[in-house]
């Protein structure tokens, strides 16, 4: 007799976030990233880019804070799109890149400030979402 009588669980479907054409347009016009955040505070991409700007200036704590907001805004967007805490969030789908960038930036800053356990947890999250994301972001 089989040990497990439950059917095989259905794998989680890919989560595909909607495009942010207004954010993309502002960024393409070289609007200051901080102004994009002010006009579109729910955009994890804008927060991730702000985190990158702070990181490039050597402002590690600011980068961490901006990335943390981008991460939470990304979680909100993922849940709204049907994500249930796990499953693929493909890097190949451009609108997903904001939340994946925020995850990467948060992991980078958490590692820099030696936050216990956070870099490992975020690495698992990124790898579970799409291992290609961390690879692409690490290449710059």
């Amino acid at each position: 007799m089989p040990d497990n009588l439950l059917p095989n669980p259905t794998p989680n479907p890919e989560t595909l976030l909607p495009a942010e054409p207004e954010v993309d347009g502002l960024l393409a016009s070289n609007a200051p990233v901080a102004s994009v955040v002010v006009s579109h505070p729910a955009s994890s991409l804008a927060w991730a880019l702000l985190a990158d700007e702070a990181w490039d200036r050597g402002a590690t704590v600011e980068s961490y804070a901006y990335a943390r907001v981008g991460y939470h805004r990304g979680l909100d967007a993922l849940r709204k799109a049907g994500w249930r805490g796990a499953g693929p969030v493909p890097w190949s789908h451009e609108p997903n890149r904001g939340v994946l960038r925020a995850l990467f930036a948060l992991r980078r800053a958490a590692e820099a400030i030696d936050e216990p356990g956070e870099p490992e947890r975020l690495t698992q999250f990124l790898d579970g979402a799409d291992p290609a994301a961390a690879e692409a972001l690490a290449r710059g």
Side-chain angles (χ1 to χ4, degrees), residues 70-90:
Y71 163 79
H72 284 287
R73 294 301 186 143
L75 289 178
D76 292 343
L78 289 170
R79 289 182 187 116
K80 187 175 179 182
W83 183 77
R84 295 186 179 170
V89 181

Side-chain angles (χ1 to χ4, degrees), residues 27-140:
L27 294 171
S29 73
N30 293 318
V33 176
S35 72
V36 178
V37 166
V38 169
S39 60
H40 298 280
S43 173
S44 58
L45 174 60
W47 285 104
L49 293 173
L50 202 56
D52 287 345
E53 284 183 354
W55 181 262
D56 291 344
R57 289 194 316 273
T60 305
V61 173
E62 282 181 46
S63 180
Y64 178 90
Y66 295 143
R68 178 65 68 185
V69 174
Y71 163 79
H72 284 287
R73 294 301 186 143
L75 289 178
D76 292 343
L78 289 170
R79 289 182 187 116
K80 187 175 179 182
W83 183 77
R84 295 186 179 170
V89 181
W91 173 256
S92 61
H93 181 67
E94 188 125 358
N96 287 352
R97 292 184 179 183
V99 66
L100 296 169
R101 286 181 74 125
L103 279 165
F104 184 85
L106 183 57
R107 181 185 72 177
R108 175 185 64 202
E111 188 172 73
I113 65 170
D114 293 324
E115 185 175 2
E118 190 72 346
E120 295 80 13
R121 186 183 70 77
L122 292 165
T123 296
Q124 290 174 351
F125 191 159
L126 272 170
D127 288 346
D130 188 346
E135 293 170 16
L137 290 162
R139 287 193 304 267

